[in-house]
C-alpha cells in the first residue's frame, strides 16, 4: 500500500519540477483540489471561476492560467530545494489504512552528520483510482 503512495508523491514532485501542471492537477484528490480552490478564492479568484474549475467547466484559457499559477505557487513553496534530488520517507505513526504522510527530504553533505533536511510533507489519500495528493505542506522558510 505504502509503495504506491511513495510513487504518487514522486510523480507529484516530478510534475512540479518539470512544469507538468495538468499532471499536478490530476494527482490531486477531490479534497486537494477543493483546498487549492479555497486558497485561490481567498486570494482574490472569482468564485464563479472557482466553481467552473471545480466542475471542469472552465475554458481552456482559464484552466491553463489557473494551473500555471498553481504550479508557480507550489514551486514557490519549495523554493531553494533541488526537487530532482529529494528523497521520500514514509512518516511513522498510527496506521490509517487509507492515508499516508510522505516526508520530502533534501540530502545534505554526509560530513555534517544528519541524514537530510526535511523540506515538506505530502499527505495522500487512497481513493478508488489509487493514491492521490490531499496537500503539500512545505517546511521551507523564505
Amino acid at each position: 500500500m505504502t509503495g504506491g503512495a511513495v510513487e504518487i508523491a514522486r510523480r507529484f514532485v516530478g510534475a512540479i519540477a518539470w512544469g507538468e501542471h495538468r499532471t499536478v492537477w490530476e494527482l490531486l484528490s477531490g479534497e486537494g483540489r477543493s483546498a487549492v480552490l479555497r486558497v485561490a478564492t481567498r486570494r482574490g479568484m472569482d468564485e464563479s471561476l472557482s466553481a467552473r474549475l471545480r466542475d471542469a467547466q472552465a475554458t481552456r484559457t482559464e484552466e491553463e492560467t489557473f494551473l500555471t499559477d498553481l504550479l508557480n505557487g507550489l514551486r514557490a513553496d519549495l523554493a531553494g530545494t533541488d526537487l530532482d534530488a529529494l528523497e521520500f520517507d514514509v512518516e511513522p505513526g498510527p496506521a490509517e489504512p487509507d492515508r499516508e504522510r510522505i516526508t520530502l527530504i533534501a540530502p545534505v553533505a554526509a560530513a555534517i552528520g544528519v541524514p537530510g533536511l526535511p523540506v515538506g510533507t505530502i499527505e495522500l489519500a487512497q481513493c478508488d483510482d489509487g493514491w492521490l495528493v490531499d496537500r503539500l505542506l512545505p517546511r521551507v522558510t523564505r
Side-chain angles (χ1 to χ4, degrees):
M1 193 180 318
T2 298
V6 171
E7 180 55 33
I8 293 302
R10 284 184 199 283
R11 284 185 53 208
F12 187 73
V13 170
I16 293 168
W18 291 98
E20 298 168 355
H21 57 297
R22 289 201 175 276
T23 300
V24 167
W25 188 247
E26 290 166 5
L27 292 175
L28 286 172
S29 67
E31 182 180 325
R33 289 179 181 191
S34 292
V36 165
L37 291 170
R38 275 193 308 276
V39 169
T41 301
R42 278 196 309 262
R43 292 184 178 172
M45 184 172 73
D46 181 71
E47 289 192 29
S48 63
L49 173 57
S50 175
R52 287 194 305 278
L53 289 162
R54 181 192 65 233
D55 298 336
Q57 300 297 314
T59 67
R60 180 81 172 174
T61 301
E62 289 172 331
E63 199 174 70
E64 286 293 318
T65 300
F66 169 73
L67 292 177
T68 299
D69 288 345
L70 171 60
L71 182 66
N72 288 334
L74 293 170
R75 284 178 168 173
D77 285 344
L78 296 170
T81 302
D82 181 356
L83 300 179
D84 292 324
L86 288 178
E87 297 170 8
F88 297 78
D89 186 40
V90 178
E91 285 190 11
E96 292 183 56
D98 296 337
R99 305 202 53 84
E100 287 289 353
R101 289 176 56 96
I102 310 291
T103 302
L104 308 176
I105 300 173
V108 295
I112 64 173
V114 295
L117 177 66
V119 295
T121 301
I122 296 180
E123 295 181 357
L124 300 101
Q126 191 168 38
C127 307
D128 293 339
D129 296 331
W131 290 98
L132 294 173
V133 175
D134 277 346
R135 66 188 44 86
L136 167 67
L137 305 165
R139 294 185 190 172
V140 178
T141 57
R142 289 175 246 173

